[in-house]
Amino acid sequence: MTVQGVTTERRTAHRIPVSFGAVLYYNALMLPECQISDLSLEGAFIATGGHFLPEHALLDLAFNVQTTGSFPQRLTVQVVRNSEAGVGVRLKHSDSDSRRNLVETLYAV
């Protein structure tokens, strides 16, 4: 939202532009050709190729960043926004290791 040239941001963590291939899992549905276009410690935007996913749905997100010693990341995410291009999601860190792995990923890009 912009008010007289001032932008107000609702996010508490700045999103970093990225380009990672990803796979989303929702119930029995697998979307293998998704693309993460921005990422932070708290959320991401994921292009879903036109597939609709309901708001508040819990999804499994899997992606891999090609860095030295990188491991595939697997996180639970919740849909907070839908658009024709994809979904905005909030990351649900299940433990400190998943958060630490994501910090390492963000510093690697």
Side-chain angles (χ1 to χ4, degrees):
M1 170 199 269
T2 302
V3 177
Q4 296 180 340
V6 176
T7 302
T8 56
E9 179 64 53
R10 294 183 308 186
R11 296 182 185 122
T12 58
H14 177 72
R15 295 226 180 147
I16 298 170
V18 297
S19 182
F20 302 147
V23 178
L24 282 175
Y25 300 91
Y26 175 60
N27 294 335
L29 177 66
M30 180 178 90
L31 303 175
E33 296 182 12
C34 296
Q35 190 76 19
I36 302 173
S37 61
D38 66 45
L39 181 65
S40 77
L41 288 176
E42 296 180 357
F45 185 82
I46 305 167
T48 59
H51 293 280
F52 174 81
L53 295 164
E55 283 197 30
H56 309 295
L58 290 176
L59 316 170
D60 286 323
L61 167 65
F63 65 96
N64 192 14
V65 179
Q66 299 301 319
T67 60
T68 305
S70 68
F71 297 100
Q73 303 275 333
R74 187 135 188 169
L75 301 166
T76 300
V77 300
Q78 184 173 29
V79 176
V80 293
R81 182 175 65 87
N82 277 303
S83 75
E84 289 182 18
V87 292
V89 297
R90 178 177 299 123
L91 305 178
K92 303 281 195 180
H93 297 286
S94 58
D95 56 34
S96 61
D97 285 341
S98 72
R99 189 169 184 88
R100 181 178 38 84
N101 290 340
L102 187 57
V103 168
E104 291 174 4
T105 299
L106 289 169
Y107 277 105
V109 294

XYZ file of all heavy atoms in Angstrom:
841
model
N 0.853 -1.162 0.000
C 0.000 0.000 0.000
C 0.904 1.232 0.000
O 1.868 1.316 0.715
C -0.895 -0.021 1.232
C -1.641 1.266 1.418
S -2.242 1.476 3.093
C -3.823 0.756 2.950
N 0.569 2.229 -0.800
C 1.359 3.451 -0.844
C 0.474 4.632 -0.477
O -0.593 4.820 -1.029
C 1.948 3.669 -2.251
O 2.735 2.536 -2.579
C 2.801 4.909 -2.296
N 0.931 5.425 0.475
C 0.219 6.618 0.896
C 1.185 7.784 0.777
O 2.181 7.851 1.500
C -0.280 6.481 2.353
C -0.958 7.749 2.800
C -1.199 5.288 2.495
N 0.926 8.683 -0.153
C 1.762 9.853 -0.393
C 3.243 9.497 -0.452
O 4.085 10.090 0.206
C 1.521 10.920 0.680
C 0.122 11.468 0.646
C -0.095 12.512 1.718
O 0.640 12.586 2.695
N -1.114 13.319 1.525
N 3.567 8.453 -1.271
C 4.950 8.074 -1.477
C 5.569 7.220 -0.392
O 6.721 6.849 -0.468
N 4.821 6.885 0.662
C 5.337 6.045 1.732
C 4.744 4.656 1.572
O 3.539 4.487 1.497
C 4.967 6.623 3.124
C 5.436 5.681 4.222
C 5.537 8.004 3.294
N 5.617 3.653 1.506
C 5.163 2.274 1.370
C 5.097 1.626 2.739
O 6.056 1.669 3.489
C 6.129 1.473 0.474
O 6.213 2.112 -0.792
C 5.658 0.052 0.301
N 3.938 1.049 3.052
C 3.812 0.321 4.306
C 3.876 -1.168 3.996
O 3.144 -1.664 3.160
C 2.490 0.655 5.017
O 1.416 0.378 4.129
C 2.453 2.101 5.447
N 4.746 -1.871 4.657
C 4.945 -3.295 4.455
C 4.392 -4.055 5.643
O 4.718 -3.751 6.777
C 6.447 -3.572 4.292
C 6.792 -5.023 4.107
C 6.227 -5.617 2.827
O 6.460 -5.043 1.765
O 5.537 -6.656 2.920
N 3.551 -5.044 5.377
C 2.977 -5.838 6.453
C 3.910 -6.946 6.906
O 3.752 -7.477 7.986
C 1.648 -6.436 6.006
C 0.591 -5.385 5.761
C -0.710 -6.001 5.395
N -0.529 -6.947 4.295
C -1.507 -7.571 3.671
N -2.733 -7.359 4.023
N -1.263 -8.403 2.694
N 4.862 -7.309 6.086
C 5.769 -8.400 6.446
C 6.815 -7.919 7.445
O 7.317 -6.813 7.344
C 6.490 -8.910 5.207
C 5.570 -9.513 4.204
C 6.362 -10.033 3.015
N 5.449 -10.499 2.008
C 5.405 -10.043 0.762
N 6.237 -9.116 0.375
N 4.542 -10.525 -0.088
N 7.172 -8.790 8.371
C 8.218 -8.443 9.328
C 9.594 -8.865 8.830
O 10.597 -8.352 9.310
C 7.963 -9.097 10.705
O 7.903 -10.508 10.535
C 6.673 -8.569 11.315
N 9.656 -9.788 7.885
C 10.931 -10.244 7.326
C 10.974 -9.903 5.843
O 10.041 -10.211 5.100
C 11.096 -11.745 7.524
N 12.051 -9.265 5.416
C 12.220 -8.869 4.014
C 12.369 -10.105 3.138
O 13.132 -11.005 3.448
C 13.457 -7.973 3.884
C 13.743 -7.580 2.484
N 12.968 -6.689 1.791
C 14.729 -7.974 1.642
C 13.460 -6.553 0.578
N 14.531 -7.321 0.466
N 11.631 -10.144 2.041
C 11.732 -11.264 1.116
C 12.839 -11.014 0.107
O 13.015 -9.904 -0.373
C 10.404 -11.475 0.390
C 9.311 -11.888 1.354
C 8.527 -13.031 0.837
N 7.493 -13.385 1.785
C 6.319 -13.855 1.421
N 6.040 -14.007 0.167
N 5.442 -14.185 2.332
N 13.575 -12.066 -0.205
C 14.686 -12.010 -1.142
C 14.235 -12.634 -2.463
O 13.703 -13.751 -2.470
C 15.894 -12.789 -0.574
C 16.360 -12.141 0.725
C 17.021 -12.859 -1.593
C 17.382 -12.956 1.479
N 14.452 -11.922 -3.580
C 14.107 -12.529 -4.882
C 14.987 -13.751 -5.144
O 16.207 -13.690 -4.980
C 14.416 -11.424 -5.890
C 14.557 -10.178 -5.103
C 14.961 -10.571 -3.729
N 14.379 -14.864 -5.502
C 15.088 -16.107 -5.792
C 14.429 -16.768 -6.997
O 13.388 -16.310 -7.478
C 15.079 -17.084 -4.583
C 15.812 -16.510 -3.391
C 13.661 -17.476 -4.208
N 15.011 -17.836 -7.454
C 14.414 -18.633 -8.519
C 14.775 -20.095 -8.267
O 15.797 -20.579 -8.740
C 14.927 -18.167 -9.882
O 14.307 -18.914 -10.904
N 13.937 -20.761 -7.462
C 14.148 -22.159 -7.112
C 12.987 -22.982 -7.628
O 11.831 -22.619 -7.437
C 14.170 -22.382 -5.591
C 15.196 -21.616 -4.817
C 14.917 -21.202 -3.532
C 16.434 -21.326 -5.340
C 15.842 -20.516 -2.780
C 17.379 -20.637 -4.604
C 17.087 -20.231 -3.323
N 13.295 -24.106 -8.215
C 12.255 -25.066 -8.528
C 11.765 -25.695 -7.238
O 12.541 -25.850 -6.286
N 10.496 -26.037 -7.182
C 9.924 -26.595 -5.954
C 8.818 -27.580 -6.297
O 8.287 -27.583 -7.404
C 9.369 -25.476 -5.077
N 8.501 -28.392 -5.303
C 7.380 -29.324 -5.410
C 6.461 -29.036 -4.232
O 6.918 -28.911 -3.096
C 7.856 -30.792 -5.363
C 6.670 -31.740 -5.421
C 8.829 -31.081 -6.488
N 5.165 -28.900 -4.504
C 4.165 -28.730 -3.457
C 3.331 -29.995 -3.364
O 2.967 -30.589 -4.389
C 3.242 -27.550 -3.771
C 3.778 -26.158 -3.510
C 2.768 -25.119 -3.990
C 4.081 -25.951 -2.051
N 3.021 -30.373 -2.133
C 2.160 -31.522 -1.875
C 0.966 -31.033 -1.070
O 1.132 -30.398 -0.034
C 2.900 -32.596 -1.061
C 4.133 -33.129 -1.740
C 5.374 -32.533 -1.508
C 4.060 -34.214 -2.595
C 6.520 -33.022 -2.123
C 5.205 -34.706 -3.215
C 6.423 -34.103 -2.975
O 7.563 -34.583 -3.582
N -0.240 -31.334 -1.565
C -1.468 -30.964 -0.864
C -2.392 -32.168 -0.895
O -2.873 -32.556 -1.970
C -2.126 -29.761 -1.535
C -3.465 -29.400 -0.948
C -3.582 -29.045 0.389
C -4.611 -29.422 -1.724
C -4.815 -28.728 0.934
C -5.844 -29.085 -1.187
C -5.934 -28.742 0.137
O -7.164 -28.421 0.682
N -2.608 -32.767 0.263
C -3.379 -34.016 0.342
C -2.778 -35.020 -0.637
O -1.603 -35.316 -0.560
C -4.861 -33.766 0.120
C -5.473 -32.931 1.237
O -4.979 -32.913 2.354
N -6.543 -32.234 0.933
N -3.539 -35.515 -1.591
C -3.022 -36.484 -2.564
C -2.503 -35.808 -3.832
O -2.051 -36.483 -4.747
C -4.120 -37.479 -2.921
N -2.543 -34.485 -3.884
C -2.121 -33.738 -5.067
C -0.640 -33.381 -4.967
O -0.169 -32.902 -3.936
C -2.951 -32.445 -5.171
C -2.622 -31.494 -6.304
C -2.946 -32.134 -7.641
C -3.415 -30.200 -6.136
N 0.098 -33.626 -6.048
C 1.502 -33.232 -6.116
C 1.656 -32.264 -7.285
O 1.240 -32.565 -8.404
C 2.410 -34.442 -6.338
C 3.876 -34.053 -6.415
S 4.972 -35.465 -6.608
C 5.050 -35.578 -8.383
N 2.223 -31.086 -7.006
C 2.501 -30.093 -8.045
C 4.016 -30.025 -8.215
O 4.706 -29.332 -7.470
C 1.934 -28.733 -7.653
C 0.436 -28.685 -7.367
C 0.027 -27.307 -6.874
C -0.343 -29.046 -8.611
N 4.570 -30.761 -9.198
C 6.019 -30.918 -9.282
C 6.772 -29.783 -9.970
O 7.989 -29.731 -9.876
C 6.178 -32.215 -10.079
C 4.978 -32.250 -10.953
C 3.869 -31.615 -10.145
N 6.100 -28.898 -10.649
C 6.813 -27.881 -11.425
C 6.517 -26.472 -10.929
O 6.242 -25.569 -11.715
C 6.477 -28.032 -12.899
C 6.962 -29.363 -13.437
C 6.698 -29.544 -14.913
O 6.335 -28.564 -15.584
O 6.857 -30.675 -15.381
N 6.618 -26.275 -9.637
C 6.402 -24.958 -9.058
C 7.717 -24.186 -9.028
O 8.791 -24.758 -9.178
C 5.845 -25.094 -7.644
S 4.215 -25.883 -7.601
N 7.611 -22.879 -8.826
C 8.788 -22.013 -8.812
C 8.666 -21.026 -7.656
O 7.685 -20.289 -7.575
C 8.873 -21.259 -10.146
C 10.142 -20.521 -10.365
C 11.300 -21.442 -10.731
O 11.114 -22.561 -11.155
N 12.500 -20.959 -10.541
N 9.655 -21.020 -6.763
C 9.691 -20.031 -5.678
C 10.324 -18.769 -6.238
O 11.440 -18.809 -6.756
C 10.494 -20.545 -4.471
C 9.899 -21.847 -3.944
C 10.544 -19.482 -3.371
C 10.727 -22.511 -2.861
N 9.607 -17.640 -6.146
C 10.146 -16.394 -6.705
C 10.636 -15.421 -5.646
O 11.397 -14.512 -5.960
C 9.103 -15.710 -7.594
O 7.962 -15.376 -6.840
N 10.182 -15.563 -4.417
C 10.768 -14.795 -3.312
C 10.647 -15.603 -2.033
O 9.777 -16.452 -1.900
C 10.183 -13.393 -3.182
C 8.726 -13.357 -2.789
O 8.323 -14.093 -1.873
O 7.983 -12.564 -3.376
N 11.580 -15.335 -1.098
C 11.684 -16.176 0.079
C 12.218 -15.368 1.247
O 13.069 -14.497 1.068
C 12.652 -17.340 -0.227
C 12.921 -18.385 0.830
C 11.654 -19.178 1.143
C 14.015 -19.332 0.343
N 11.702 -15.643 2.430
C 12.220 -15.061 3.668
C 12.137 -16.138 4.738
O 11.698 -17.257 4.477
C 11.407 -13.834 4.090
O 10.182 -14.223 4.671
N 12.528 -15.771 5.953
C 12.413 -16.735 7.048
C 10.965 -17.013 7.419
O 10.673 -17.995 8.094
C 13.155 -16.221 8.286
C 14.664 -16.245 8.194
C 15.284 -15.613 9.444
C 15.172 -17.662 8.017
N 10.055 -16.146 6.993
C 8.658 -16.296 7.383
C 7.714 -16.680 6.257
O 6.618 -17.162 6.515
C 8.163 -15.003 8.022
C 8.886 -14.686 9.305
C 8.402 -13.398 9.943
O 7.534 -12.716 9.361
O 8.906 -13.074 11.016
N 8.108 -16.450 4.994
C 7.177 -16.726 3.923
C 7.827 -16.794 2.561
O 9.036 -16.623 2.413
N 6.983 -17.038 1.559
C 7.462 -17.150 0.179
C 6.291 -16.937 -0.768
O 5.122 -17.035 -0.375
C 8.073 -18.529 -0.054
N 6.641 -16.643 -2.027
C 5.636 -16.676 -3.088
C 6.030 -17.796 -4.032
O 7.188 -17.890 -4.458
C 5.528 -15.361 -3.864
C 4.404 -15.418 -4.853
C 3.104 -15.180 -4.446
C 4.634 -15.770 -6.171
C 2.041 -15.289 -5.339
C 3.589 -15.877 -7.081
C 2.289 -15.630 -6.657
N 5.053 -18.656 -4.351
C 5.319 -19.832 -5.163
C 4.381 -19.831 -6.366
O 3.157 -19.848 -6.212
C 5.105 -21.125 -4.352
C 5.955 -21.087 -3.072
C 5.439 -22.344 -5.202
C 5.584 -22.140 -2.065
N 4.963 -19.782 -7.570
C 4.180 -19.902 -8.798
C 3.743 -21.350 -8.932
O 4.556 -22.271 -8.812
C 5.016 -19.471 -9.995
N 2.447 -21.554 -9.153
C 1.883 -22.909 -9.167
C 1.423 -23.355 -10.549
O 0.758 -24.380 -10.667
C 0.689 -22.993 -8.196
O -0.294 -22.032 -8.600
C 1.123 -22.755 -6.764
N 1.735 -22.601 -11.581
C 1.332 -23.004 -12.926
C -0.168 -22.988 -13.128
O -0.713 -23.777 -13.883
N -0.853 -22.084 -12.436
C -2.289 -21.942 -12.595
C -3.133 -22.838 -11.709
O -4.359 -22.768 -11.743
N -2.527 -23.671 -10.911
C -3.288 -24.538 -10.002
C -3.774 -23.731 -8.807
O -3.021 -22.975 -8.208
C -2.430 -25.706 -9.502
C -2.061 -26.657 -10.587
N -2.913 -27.625 -11.056
C -0.919 -26.780 -11.303
C -2.325 -28.304 -12.005
N -1.107 -27.810 -12.180
N -5.036 -23.914 -8.458
C -5.628 -23.225 -7.316
C -5.423 -24.049 -6.057
O -5.652 -25.251 -6.040
C -7.127 -23.001 -7.536
C -7.805 -22.419 -6.330
C -7.725 -21.055 -6.084
C -8.490 -23.223 -5.432
C -8.337 -20.507 -4.963
C -9.104 -22.688 -4.319
C -9.021 -21.323 -4.080
N -4.988 -23.380 -5.001
C -4.873 -24.007 -3.683
C -5.641 -23.144 -2.698
O -5.485 -21.924 -2.684
C -3.407 -24.119 -3.272
C -2.572 -25.050 -4.159
C -1.092 -24.822 -3.941
C -2.945 -26.496 -3.885
N -6.483 -23.727 -1.871
C -7.343 -22.935 -0.991
C -6.561 -22.185 0.090
O -5.539 -22.674 0.584
C -8.278 -23.969 -0.361
C -7.657 -25.281 -0.595
C -6.725 -25.158 -1.746
N -7.077 -20.996 0.429
C -6.463 -20.239 1.521
C -6.523 -21.046 2.806
O -7.455 -21.817 3.025
C -7.168 -18.890 1.704
C -6.750 -17.894 0.652
C -7.102 -16.469 1.027
O -7.131 -16.136 2.222
O -7.339 -15.696 0.084
N -5.508 -20.875 3.627
C -5.343 -21.552 4.918
C -4.973 -23.030 4.786
O -4.805 -23.704 5.799
C -6.567 -21.386 5.819
C -6.996 -19.967 5.966
N -6.222 -19.008 6.587
C -8.103 -19.327 5.531
C -6.840 -17.847 6.540
N -7.987 -18.006 5.917
N -4.859 -23.536 3.551
C -4.472 -24.932 3.365
C -3.036 -25.136 3.834
O -2.176 -24.290 3.614
C -4.594 -25.329 1.898
N -2.788 -26.262 4.486
C -1.433 -26.642 4.870
C -0.846 -27.502 3.760
O -1.483 -28.453 3.293
C -1.436 -27.415 6.184
C -1.773 -26.601 7.424
C -1.835 -27.500 8.657
C -0.760 -25.495 7.648
N 0.365 -27.148 3.332
C 1.040 -27.831 2.242
C 2.422 -28.263 2.700
O 2.996 -27.666 3.609
C 1.223 -26.895 1.040
C 0.059 -26.017 0.610
C 0.526 -25.007 -0.415
C -1.037 -26.886 0.029
N 2.970 -29.262 2.045
C 4.375 -29.605 2.204
C 5.107 -28.999 1.013
O 4.685 -29.180 -0.141
C 4.593 -31.117 2.227
C 4.147 -31.742 3.530
O 4.345 -31.109 4.587
O 3.612 -32.862 3.493
N 6.197 -28.302 1.292
C 7.021 -27.668 0.266
C 8.383 -28.333 0.273
O 9.002 -28.468 1.335
C 7.168 -26.169 0.568
C 8.228 -25.396 -0.209
C 7.882 -25.344 -1.691
C 8.368 -23.989 0.355
N 8.842 -28.753 -0.884
C 10.174 -29.340 -1.012
C 10.936 -28.588 -2.089
O 10.401 -28.312 -3.166
C 10.070 -30.819 -1.381
N 12.187 -28.211 -1.777
C 13.043 -27.571 -2.777
C 14.492 -27.836 -2.427
O 14.831 -28.212 -1.314
C 12.762 -26.066 -2.884
C 13.093 -25.268 -1.652
C 14.311 -24.612 -1.535
C 12.179 -25.156 -0.618
C 14.610 -23.873 -0.403
C 12.465 -24.411 0.513
C 13.693 -23.771 0.617
N 15.356 -27.649 -3.418
C 16.778 -27.876 -3.229
C 17.525 -26.703 -3.834
O 17.219 -26.271 -4.939
C 17.205 -29.181 -3.900
C 18.591 -29.616 -3.491
O 19.156 -29.104 -2.526
N 19.143 -30.570 -4.215
N 18.493 -26.183 -3.089
C 19.322 -25.083 -3.568
C 20.685 -25.672 -3.886
O 21.261 -26.384 -3.059
C 19.443 -23.980 -2.497
C 20.324 -22.854 -2.982
C 18.072 -23.471 -2.120
N 21.193 -25.379 -5.062
C 22.472 -25.936 -5.479
C 23.638 -25.181 -4.860
O 24.232 -24.308 -5.452
C 22.577 -25.923 -7.009
C 21.513 -26.744 -7.694
C 21.530 -28.206 -7.276
O 22.584 -28.804 -7.134
N 20.361 -28.774 -7.055
N 23.947 -25.491 -3.608
C 25.113 -24.933 -2.935
C 25.932 -26.087 -2.390
O 25.449 -27.205 -2.267
C 24.709 -24.004 -1.766
O 23.944 -24.760 -0.826
C 23.914 -22.813 -2.248
N 27.155 -25.824 -2.042
C 28.023 -26.862 -1.523
C 27.423 -27.457 -0.250
O 27.117 -26.754 0.686
C 29.413 -26.284 -1.220
O 29.901 -25.673 -2.410
C 30.368 -27.363 -0.768
N 27.245 -28.763 -0.253
C 26.728 -29.447 0.923
C 25.257 -29.201 1.196
O 24.789 -29.439 2.300
N 24.518 -28.732 0.204
C 23.102 -28.424 0.458
C 22.286 -29.704 0.538
O 22.582 -30.705 -0.094
C 22.543 -27.518 -0.630
O 22.482 -28.212 -1.861
N 21.279 -29.656 1.363
C 20.343 -30.757 1.513
C 18.981 -30.276 1.039
O 18.668 -29.097 1.152
C 20.239 -31.182 2.981
C 21.527 -31.706 3.529
C 22.347 -30.901 4.298
C 21.923 -33.003 3.254
C 23.541 -31.382 4.796
C 23.116 -33.496 3.754
C 23.934 -32.678 4.524
N 18.165 -31.177 0.525
C 16.811 -30.757 0.166
C 16.091 -30.175 1.388
O 16.214 -30.700 2.491
C 16.141 -32.045 -0.306
C 17.270 -32.954 -0.662
C 18.399 -32.584 0.241
N 15.395 -29.080 1.179
C 14.604 -28.460 2.237
C 13.186 -29.004 2.138
O 12.640 -29.122 1.043
C 14.555 -26.941 2.048
C 15.889 -26.267 2.006
C 16.400 -25.943 3.389
O 15.633 -25.756 4.313
N 17.693 -25.890 3.525
N 12.609 -29.311 3.262
C 11.205 -29.740 3.293
C 10.556 -29.019 4.455
O 10.990 -29.157 5.594
C 11.112 -31.243 3.474
C 9.688 -31.715 3.332
C 9.618 -32.927 2.493
N 8.220 -33.222 2.237
C 7.831 -34.095 1.372
N 8.698 -34.752 0.674
N 6.554 -34.318 1.181
N 9.535 -28.213 4.141
C 8.865 -27.390 5.137
C 7.362 -27.512 5.001
O 6.841 -27.753 3.914
C 9.229 -25.909 4.942
C 10.698 -25.516 5.032
C 10.888 -24.115 4.491
C 11.153 -25.594 6.469
N 6.675 -27.313 6.100
C 5.222 -27.159 6.064
C 4.945 -25.685 5.884
O 5.573 -24.843 6.527
C 4.588 -27.670 7.368
O 4.913 -29.056 7.516
C 3.078 -27.492 7.345
N 4.029 -25.363 4.984
C 3.653 -23.979 4.720
C 2.138 -23.866 4.742
O 1.423 -24.856 4.560
C 4.211 -23.470 3.365
C 5.731 -23.534 3.344
C 3.642 -24.255 2.193
N 1.648 -22.637 4.967
C 0.209 -22.391 4.957
C -0.094 -21.297 3.946
O 0.554 -20.250 3.945
C -0.277 -21.977 6.332
C -1.779 -21.798 6.389
C -2.267 -21.544 7.796
O -1.565 -20.994 8.625
N -3.489 -21.955 8.069
N -1.072 -21.542 3.100
C -1.474 -20.563 2.091
C -2.122 -19.371 2.786
O -3.046 -19.530 3.583
C -2.460 -21.178 1.074
C -2.958 -20.127 0.091
C -1.823 -22.353 0.350
N -1.606 -18.172 2.501
C -2.188 -16.951 3.072
C -2.740 -16.026 1.996
O -3.475 -15.087 2.308
C -1.174 -16.183 3.959
C -0.833 -16.992 5.199
C 0.073 -15.814 3.198
N -2.366 -16.283 0.723
C -2.856 -15.431 -0.369
C -2.834 -16.225 -1.661
O -1.909 -16.981 -1.918
C -1.960 -14.199 -0.507
C -2.394 -13.224 -1.572
C -1.540 -11.964 -1.583
N -0.161 -12.186 -1.934
C 0.312 -12.198 -3.168
N -0.502 -12.019 -4.193
N 1.592 -12.393 -3.399
N -3.871 -16.044 -2.470
C -3.981 -16.679 -3.783
C -3.965 -15.631 -4.871
O -4.493 -14.534 -4.692
C -5.312 -17.433 -3.909
C -5.258 -18.793 -3.297
O -4.423 -19.592 -3.671
N -6.149 -19.059 -2.357
N -3.386 -15.976 -5.997
C -3.505 -15.154 -7.197
C -3.468 -16.095 -8.393
O -3.221 -17.297 -8.228
C -2.372 -14.127 -7.281
O -1.162 -14.748 -7.665
N -3.696 -15.566 -9.576
C -3.629 -16.403 -10.762
C -2.219 -16.950 -10.971
O -2.037 -18.018 -11.532
C -4.070 -15.621 -11.995
C -5.550 -15.331 -12.014
C -5.976 -14.587 -13.265
O -5.225 -14.589 -14.263
O -7.069 -14.007 -13.246
N -1.211 -16.207 -10.493
C 0.178 -16.613 -10.688
C 0.626 -17.682 -9.695
O 1.538 -18.452 -9.987
C 1.095 -15.401 -10.584
N 0.028 -17.709 -8.513
C 0.462 -18.675 -7.518
C -0.062 -18.352 -6.139
O -1.118 -17.737 -5.988
N 0.708 -18.751 -5.117
C 0.271 -18.577 -3.737
C 1.369 -17.924 -2.900
O 2.551 -18.168 -3.093
C -0.119 -19.930 -3.079
C -1.375 -20.493 -3.711
C 1.006 -20.944 -3.135
N 0.926 -17.089 -1.978
C 1.786 -16.577 -0.939
C 1.608 -17.486 0.257
O 0.474 -17.842 0.609
N 2.711 -17.916 0.848
C 2.634 -18.869 1.956
C 3.405 -18.363 3.164
O 4.366 -17.603 3.040
C 3.171 -20.267 1.556
C 2.327 -20.881 0.447
C 4.642 -20.225 1.170
N 2.970 -18.803 4.328
C 3.675 -18.568 5.593
C 4.375 -19.869 5.951
O 3.767 -20.945 5.909
C 2.685 -18.185 6.686
C 3.353 -17.965 8.049
C 2.358 -17.518 9.101
N 1.759 -16.235 8.706
C 0.454 -16.041 8.557
N -0.405 -17.011 8.772
N -0.006 -14.861 8.207
N 5.653 -19.783 6.291
C 6.421 -20.966 6.649
C 6.124 -21.374 8.076
O 6.013 -20.534 8.965
C 7.916 -20.695 6.496
C 8.366 -20.199 5.122
C 9.858 -19.920 5.133
C 8.023 -21.188 4.029
N 5.984 -22.654 8.300
C 5.743 -23.217 9.631
C 6.974 -24.028 10.009
O 7.115 -25.171 9.590
C 4.514 -24.131 9.629
C 3.249 -23.480 9.152
C 2.689 -22.665 10.258
C 1.254 -22.298 9.938
N 0.653 -21.517 10.974
N 7.899 -23.431 10.771
C 9.108 -24.139 11.172
C 8.776 -25.127 12.283
O 8.279 -24.745 13.333
C 10.172 -23.151 11.649
C 10.607 -22.211 10.576
N 11.420 -22.600 9.543
C 10.318 -20.904 10.349
C 11.625 -21.580 8.740
N 10.967 -20.545 9.203
N 9.064 -26.394 12.028
C 8.737 -27.431 13.005
C 9.812 -27.571 14.076
O 9.536 -28.060 15.158
C 8.525 -28.771 12.299
O 9.687 -29.121 11.575
N 11.027 -27.140 13.764
C 12.110 -27.250 14.735
C 13.210 -26.246 14.390
O 13.166 -25.592 13.358
C 12.672 -28.674 14.780
C 13.135 -29.165 13.418
O 13.639 -28.359 12.607
O 12.992 -30.367 13.153
N 14.193 -26.134 15.266
C 15.267 -25.163 15.050
C 16.149 -25.551 13.871
O 16.728 -24.687 13.221
C 16.104 -24.993 16.324
O 16.689 -26.223 16.686
N 16.248 -26.839 13.552
C 17.055 -27.260 12.408
C 16.476 -26.745 11.094
O 17.216 -26.323 10.210
C 17.167 -28.791 12.351
C 18.111 -29.351 13.395
O 18.948 -28.582 13.922
O 18.013 -30.554 13.681
N 15.161 -26.794 10.937
C 14.560 -26.314 9.688
C 14.788 -24.817 9.529
O 15.065 -24.342 8.432
C 13.071 -26.653 9.619
O 12.311 -25.868 10.502
N 14.702 -24.070 10.613
C 14.952 -22.624 10.563
C 16.426 -22.344 10.236
O 16.737 -21.504 9.419
C 14.548 -21.966 11.873
C 14.580 -20.462 11.805
C 13.900 -19.873 13.046
N 13.833 -18.457 12.978
C 12.873 -17.748 12.415
N 11.860 -18.371 11.865
N 12.896 -16.441 12.396
N 17.334 -23.082 10.869
C 18.770 -22.897 10.614
C 19.101 -23.232 9.168
O 19.847 -22.518 8.502
C 19.594 -23.771 11.560
C 21.102 -23.612 11.360
C 21.908 -24.451 12.335
N 21.358 -25.744 12.637
C 21.540 -26.848 11.889
N 22.265 -26.792 10.802
N 21.001 -27.990 12.248
N 18.541 -24.324 8.634
C 18.771 -24.694 7.237
C 18.274 -23.611 6.294
O 18.910 -23.317 5.281
C 18.103 -26.019 6.912
C 18.774 -27.199 7.570
O 19.939 -27.115 7.985
N 18.046 -28.290 7.721
N 17.147 -23.003 6.619
C 16.617 -21.941 5.777
C 17.501 -20.700 5.843
O 17.739 -20.052 4.821
C 15.174 -21.596 6.165
C 14.470 -20.618 5.241
C 14.456 -21.121 3.791
C 13.058 -20.376 5.722
N 18.026 -20.363 7.014
C 18.959 -19.233 7.138
C 20.176 -19.490 6.258
O 20.616 -18.609 5.516
C 19.378 -19.022 8.608
C 20.556 -18.064 8.708
C 18.211 -18.506 9.425
N 20.724 -20.700 6.303
C 21.872 -21.037 5.455
C 21.523 -20.919 3.984
O 22.321 -20.447 3.181
C 22.375 -22.442 5.791
C 23.022 -22.543 7.155
C 23.381 -23.971 7.538
O 23.193 -24.902 6.714
O 23.840 -24.150 8.682
N 20.326 -21.329 3.607
C 19.879 -21.213 2.233
C 19.804 -19.745 1.813
O 20.270 -19.387 0.721
C 18.493 -21.879 2.052
O 18.608 -23.266 2.363
C 17.958 -21.693 0.645
N 19.226 -18.907 2.652
C 19.087 -17.495 2.313
C 20.443 -16.815 2.166
O 20.622 -15.947 1.318
C 18.223 -16.777 3.343
C 16.745 -17.129 3.308
C 16.022 -16.572 4.525
C 16.097 -16.644 2.025
N 21.409 -17.187 2.995
C 22.744 -16.599 2.889
C 23.507 -17.132 1.681
O 24.454 -16.499 1.225
C 23.545 -16.818 4.169
C 23.220 -15.794 5.214
C 22.426 -16.120 6.312
C 23.685 -14.491 5.105
C 22.114 -15.177 7.270
C 23.375 -13.530 6.062
C 22.592 -13.890 7.146
O 22.274 -12.956 8.079
N 23.102 -18.306 1.154
C 23.783 -18.892 0.009
C 23.360 -18.260 -1.319
O 24.068 -18.382 -2.309
C 23.524 -20.392 -0.038
N 22.217 -17.595 -1.346
C 21.737 -17.008 -2.605
C 22.239 -15.604 -2.795
O 22.680 -14.928 -1.956
C 20.200 -17.028 -2.718
C 19.728 -18.436 -2.801
C 19.527 -16.287 -1.590
